Amino acid sequence: MKTLSNIVRRLRRRAVVLSLAALAVVAPARADDELRNWFDDPFFQVTAAVPDCPLPAGPFTDEADKRIQSHRRAEKGTTCWLAKECDRPNAYAYDADIASELSAAVRERHAFAHTTLWVTVQGRVVYVEGCVARPEQEAEIEAFVRALPHVQGATAIVRTEATGRVPYRLRVPR
């Protein structure tokens, strides 16, 4: 005969088992929230003169954003080739070369004094994020990058005042 205490005990055991099962399902989902550079986009720092400039997220995203980007990247990569805008079969095939050229050009020309800048290259588009001393450096950075071979576009997203709002996504550990 089932007593009330036996029923309560069985319900508690089931609740514990269900809780453990739920944790087993949720724990891997938390690991998926890890920020990663899923597509191995070039991301590097080119200058470091402004102290306490926040690290941008750059190409680091979670797995949900990776799935969103995958379709767009596949389409963009092959469209470049099909439209005869690229010599290579994929727009992203240029990224490593662009990153090398940019890094070398900044080093050789001693460009962008009084800045702290990080670069992300994605599909022939260069994003420069960080901190600058003067507002006009934003346009100077974009013009400098656009002059490099194979660059299709350049966008500088920079903070101009040490206490100003950071205009780019930050890379914060989860």
Side-chain angles (χ1 to χ4, degrees), residues 44 46 97-112 144-145 147-149:
F44 54 98
V46 289
D97 291 342
I98 291 170
S100 294
E101 287 282 333
L102 177 56
S103 183
V106 170
R107 214 175 26 255
E108 290 166 7
R109 300 177 203 171
H110 304 287
F112 315 124
F144 181 91
V145 173
L148 296 173

Side-chain angles (χ1 to χ4, degrees), residues 2-174:
K2 295 181 183 177
T3 65
L4 186 59
S5 64
N6 285 340
I7 293 172
V8 169
R9 247 182 283 167
R10 267 200 291 176
L11 287 174
R12 282 185 185 153
R13 268 189 250 139
R14 284 186 186 165
V16 168
V17 169
L18 287 174
S19 296
L20 290 173
L23 279 175
V25 170
V26 172
R30 279 226 175 275
D32 291 344
D33 285 347
E34 175 188 5
L35 297 180
R36 291 181 45 194
N37 185 353
W38 297 95
F39 303 100
D40 292 324
D41 294 320
F43 177 70
F44 54 98
Q45 188 170 12
V46 289
T47 62
V50 177
D52 301 322
C53 184
L55 176 66
F60 289 79
T61 63
D62 59 22
E63 190 165 8
D65 193 42
K66 175 191 111 175
R67 286 191 292 271
I68 293 167
Q69 286 187 35
S70 292
H71 176 74
R72 179 188 58 80
R73 292 173 70 99
E75 186 177 293
K76 178 182 178 168
T78 54
T79 300
C80 177
W81 170 257
L82 295 172
K84 300 193 183 328
E85 295 172 355
C86 297
D87 297 334
R88 300 174 190 176
N90 187 309
Y92 296 92
Y94 293 89
D95 293 352
D97 291 342
I98 291 170
S100 294
E101 287 282 333
L102 177 56
S103 183
V106 170
R107 214 175 26 255
E108 290 166 7
R109 300 177 203 171
H110 304 287
F112 315 124
H114 311 294
T115 66
T116 294
L117 301 171
W118 289 267
V119 173
T120 302
V121 185
Q122 295 177 321
R124 297 177 61 196
V125 177
V126 179
Y127 301 93
V128 181
E129 298 169 304
C131 303
V132 297
R134 300 175 287 108
E136 57 272 9
Q137 285 178 298
E138 185 172 353
E140 293 168 6
I141 292 166
E142 290 176 354
F144 181 91
V145 173
R146 281 192 191 103
L148 296 173
H150 305 297
V151 172
Q152 189 176 44
T155 303
I157 308 165
V158 294
R159 180 174 76 178
T160 57
E161 298 173 13
T163 57
R165 184 184 74 73
V166 177
Y168 50 84
R169 285 184 323 115
L170 298 177
R171 185 164 158 203
V172 291
R174 291 187 180 188

